[in-house]
Amino acid sequence: MRSNNVLVTRGPADVPDQSPRGASAPRESGFASGFANLSEAVDAVAAIDSLLSSLAASRAVLMESVREWVADQPDLFDAPEVEADDLAGLAPELVERLATALRVPESSAVALIEESRALVHEHPRTLAALRGGHITHAHAQTILGYTDGLRRGNRVALETRLLKHARTTTPGELSLVARAERERRLRPVRAEPQVAAPAEHRSRRQRVSAFPTGRPTP
């Protein structure tokens, strides 16, 4: 991939583009004519997308740190003392302030707090992939959603498989894979059918049970 320094350091050009007839043509962005070819242009967009993923990971880590900090100071925030990983004890002030700052409903703020905690404590590999820009925030949400509620062994196995697919699929395609894999892991194991004993064995057992000594008493 070519360096994208030109993308992040260059602002709108002072000189407008020229149309084929020599008239000034308005620019749609400040990066027009700043690429050598289409591959470089697409790579630049992908680089920004990876940066967004990395920022989403950083937000998750910061949000979990804030939640733990608030949980450690119940008197300061007028909240009942709870364990640091107890989401049921979220301070109302934390939820309200986050919702206001992020301009989202309080239910969305709670969901984001829960997602951040899951990424940090239960899905560090998904968090690492998000930080590295290998998956998007939507991919991470899909992985968290479909691994939720599974036993640790199944959760880790499913996460491993989904992380592999996430690098080459859309979130929608990943969801299809995740659904099938989750159902397979939740499907109850059928008990082995009991084989009927041969008739002579059954009669033998009947005789033994009828006569505890193994033979009829005279």
Side-chain angles (χ1 to χ4, degrees):
M1 179 184 298
R2 287 188 158 191
S3 171
N4 296 304
N5 291 336
V6 63
L7 181 63
V8 296
T9 59
R10 211 179 140 184
D14 295 329
V15 181
D17 284 341
Q18 296 293 317
S19 69
R21 295 183 179 180
S24 295
R27 288 180 180 273
E28 294 299 327
S29 72
F31 308 121
S33 75
F35 306 106
N37 50 52
L38 180 58
S39 294
E40 183 178 272
V42 171
D43 285 348
V45 175
I48 294 298
D49 196 62
S50 294
L51 179 60
L52 292 174
S53 295
S54 180
L55 290 173
S58 296
R59 182 182 64 177
V61 173
L62 178 59
M63 186 164 291
E64 175 57 12
S65 297
V66 170
R67 185 190 68 82
E68 291 179 341
W69 176 69
V70 171
D72 287 339
Q73 304 183 75
D75 295 336
L76 181 61
F77 295 95
D78 193 25
E81 186 172 355
V82 294
E83 297 295 330
D85 60 351
D86 184 4
L87 289 172
L90 286 177
E93 184 179 353
L94 169 62
V95 176
E96 180 182 353
R97 294 282 293 274
L98 278 176
T100 300
L102 301 179
R103 299 181 297 279
V104 297
E106 291 190 1
S107 58
S108 298
V110 171
L112 192 56
I113 294 172
E114 294 175 342
E115 175 188 296
S116 299
R117 176 188 176 278
L119 279 170
V120 171
H121 297 291
E122 299 176 6
H123 299 271
R125 291 183 301 160
T126 298
L127 179 63
L130 186 63
R131 188 189 297 279
H134 305 302
I135 63 174
T136 67
H137 184 215
H139 286 102
Q141 289 178 313
T142 299
I143 293 173
L144 264 60
Y146 280 98
T147 55
D148 183 50
L150 294 178
R151 293 181 180 273
R152 186 178 185 282
N154 284 337
R155 186 180 74 235
V156 172
L158 181 55
E159 180 184 24
T160 299
R161 184 165 179 80
L162 295 183
L163 281 173
K164 180 179 179 180
H165 282 280
R167 292 173 178 260
T168 57
T169 61
T170 67
E173 292 169 339
L174 182 65
S175 181
L176 295 177
V177 174
R179 184 181 296 114
E181 289 291 328
R182 180 181 173 90
E183 290 175 355
R184 183 173 68 83
R185 284 170 169 77
L186 290 177
R187 188 177 301 129
V189 179
R190 293 190 301 176
E192 290 293 329
Q194 294 186 357
V195 180
E200 60 271 18
H201 290 178
R202 290 200 303 271
S203 61
R204 168 72 177 170
R205 286 199 300 269
Q206 290 170 356
R207 289 197 299 271
V208 171
S209 61
F211 306 106
T213 61
R215 62 179 186 276
T217 54

